[in-house]
Amino acid sequence: MIKKSQFAFALGMAFASFFAGAAPIQLITNGGFETGTFAGWTVTDLAGGSGSWFIDDANGTTPLSGQSTMGPASGSFYAVTDQFGQGTHVLEQFFIVPVGATSVALSFDMFMNDWDSGPIVNPVGLNDDTAGANQHARVDIMTALAGAFSTAALDIVASPVPPGVDAGADPHAYTPYLFDITALVTPGSTYKLRFGEVDNQSFFNQGVDNVSILADTAQVPEPASLVLFGLGLAGLASARRRKTV
């Protein structure tokens, strides 16, 4: 025979399991670049330019031009742009907002070293192949079908970090960024996160690490919890019947 105390404990555990919230879901793959590769990411460079995005380590200099950097924000690797001449470089990853998402948070660490002391934000956007000066970095949440270099309003859901650079002398330390993007995205829809920079004046290093998009979802009981909860209710009903008889 199950004692009342044992039954109460079991029923309490059933309630706790039934109402327990799910853990946040990570929507970004390889956000710390600790694979030492761009697994999960897509790198696109504007044709005819110099340089690209690179996976770099903690040696303190960029892989092509040898400019000073802070290295990884954590771990062994980070992503950074580097070049010998003008260029435009984009780093993107698709992400799907899960159905039932109740909150979505974007976070990353980033520095923007502009050795020309800009920013210079040309209306042409992410395009170094222009008669005018253009040197800046940006971060955007894009529609799934947007082109890699597009800055058209219909392709950009939001620009958490608008076109610009870090102020002051280079090299810069990482700036940690955190944004609540819940109201900007729709559960069940696909988007792209884009880091992009353009340079046609001097060296430019956009460094990124610890990229994360975390989604919380509505509380959904696990099947085992439902069974335990059901058994608890059934036991309670049986106990009430015996008491009545």
Side-chain angles (χ1 to χ4, degrees):
M1 179 181 294
I2 300 177
K3 296 181 180 180
K4 288 184 177 180
S5 59
Q6 293 173 322
F7 176 75
F9 176 78
L11 187 58
M13 290 298 292
F15 270 106
S17 299
F18 185 84
F19 291 107
I25 300 171
Q26 176 59 257
L27 308 185
I28 291 293
T29 300
N30 190 28
F33 307 98
E34 290 305 295
T35 63
T37 70
F38 281 114
W41 296 91
T42 299
V43 173
T44 309
D45 303 306
L46 193 65
S50 170
S52 187
W53 281 91
F54 300 90
I55 299 296
D56 199 15
D57 55 22
N59 67 0
T61 58
T62 58
L64 284 186
S65 62
Q67 302 295 326
S68 297
T69 77
M70 300 303 295
S74 64
S76 301
F77 301 103
Y78 71 112
V80 64
T81 61
D82 200 14
Q83 61 288 134
F84 286 126
Q86 71 183 56
T88 306
H89 316 295
V90 161
L91 177 66
E92 298 176 300
Q93 184 168 155
F94 287 96
F95 66 95
I96 302 173
V97 181
V99 174
T102 56
S103 67
V104 186
L106 165 66
S107 63
F108 52 90
D109 297 318
M110 183 175 69
F111 62 77
M112 297 175 284
N113 292 340
D114 176 14
W115 301 91
D116 186 59
S117 301
I120 305 170
V121 182
N122 192 301
V124 301
L126 288 172
N127 190 341
D128 64 282
D129 189 16
T130 174
N134 200 12
Q135 186 130 326
H136 63 269
R138 59 187 295 147
V139 180
D140 303 286
I141 298 171
M142 314 285 292
T143 62
L145 298 178
F149 305 107
S150 176
T151 52
L154 57 82
D155 288 331
I156 298 178
V157 176
S159 298
V161 180
V165 301
D166 288 332
D170 299 312
H172 294 283
Y174 283 90
T175 298
Y177 294 89
L178 175 62
F179 303 97
D180 182 350
I181 62 172
T182 309
L184 304 175
V185 296
T186 302
S189 297
T190 302
Y191 302 89
K192 291 194 296 184
L193 175 63
R194 177 179 72 182
F195 297 92
E197 67 99 327
V198 54
D199 56 85
N200 64 7
Q201 298 299 295
S202 186
F203 296 110
F204 196 106
N205 308 125
Q206 181 181 16
V208 179
D209 203 356
N210 299 324
V211 185
S212 171
I213 300 180
L214 286 176
D216 281 314
T217 57
Q219 295 178 347
V220 179
E222 296 181 0
S225 298
L226 288 173
V227 171
L228 183 58
F229 185 67
L231 289 174
L233 291 179
L236 180 60
S238 176
R240 289 175 61 87
R241 285 196 299 270
R242 287 198 300 271
K243 183 176 181 181
T244 300
V245 173

